[in-house]
Amino acid sequence: MKKLILSVLFISALSACNKETKVSESSNSTTDSTMIVDSANEEVSTAAFKKVEWSPEETSKMLGKQNNDTLYVTNFFATWCGPCVKEIPHFKAKMAEMKSQPVKFTFVSLDDKKDWDGAVPKFVAEHGLENHVVLLDGSALGTEFFPANFKQWDGGAIPFTFMRKGDKTDETLGSMSEEMLTEKLNSFQ
């Protein structure tokens, strides 16, 4: 019963990030080579998206300390979350800038399972994130998940970004500006 109540609270909190808020990228954005747009239908091909689902245990393992010098940047988001969508271009710019460095960017989609075959692959293709998105069923997260993995985040709102390099971590609740993201990434060097 406790798990059911927590799941309902978690889903309610996620819905606080208004589903009706839509942010569109400016026309200055470049088209990724894997993105195919049919000008007649304006539909984006989602064929390049590999559906990878993480369990809560796998998520905890990936968030844990790794024995290497890689900086792990994990962003929890949903396709319907305006603030989440707004910060993605900043992450993409940093991914391109840091691609020769030991940095791994992962976007964890907290979208409803019903959206895993439609809205999520379309979003991933539109934003050129094909190899960086994993799926996590928020209703499977128990009460112990958040305090076991985070100092600040209780799962009540998104976006949330967790950075780890060895023992050093950084947690950011809410959308980040490009400057804020740069500052946080630079603090790990």
Side-chain angles (χ1 to χ4, degrees), residues 20-164:
E20 295 177 19
T21 305
K22 294 193 180 197
V23 177
S24 60
E25 289 189 35
S26 69
S27 59
N28 297 3
S29 64
T30 58
T31 303
D32 191 296
S33 61
T34 60
M35 186 166 61
I36 304 165
V37 179
D38 180 345
S39 59
N41 295 329
E42 292 294 320
E43 290 185 22
V44 178
S45 170
T46 58
F49 177 63
K50 287 185 195 173
K51 192 163 118 177
V52 177
E53 181 180 353
W54 280 358
S55 68
E57 296 76 23
E58 290 169 312
T59 304
S60 292
K61 183 178 178 185
M62 294 308 296
L63 294 169
K65 181 180 175 183
Q66 308 294 325
N67 292 324
N68 57 40
D69 66 344
T70 301
L71 169 58
Y72 294 88
V73 180
T74 308
N75 179 267
F76 292 82
F77 80 104
T79 60
W80 45 260
C81 171
C84 301
V85 176
K86 184 178 180 181
E87 70 179 0
I88 286 180
H90 310 317
F91 281 94
K92 283 186 60 179
K94 287 297 169 189
M95 289 165 61
E97 179 183 318
M98 301 176 82
K99 76 181 196 178
S100 64
Q101 298 177 33
V103 179
K104 179 171 174 43
F105 288 86
T106 304
F107 296 87
V108 180
S109 170
L110 294 172
D111 286 274
D112 292 337
K113 276 187 138 180
K114 66 179 176 50
D115 295 326
W116 287 6
D117 292 322
V120 175
K122 181 179 178 190
F123 180 89
V124 168
E126 287 173 351
H127 294 278
L129 299 172
E130 286 80 2
N131 297 316
H132 300 279
V133 175
V134 297
L135 307 165
L136 176 61
D137 181 5
S139 67
L141 300 177
T143 56
E144 69 287 346
F145 177 80
F146 296 99
N149 292 292
F150 311 109
K151 294 175 187 168
Q152 299 175 23
W153 193 41
D154 63 3
I158 53 175
F160 174 75
T161 304
F162 181 77
M163 298 181 192
R164 174 184 289 279

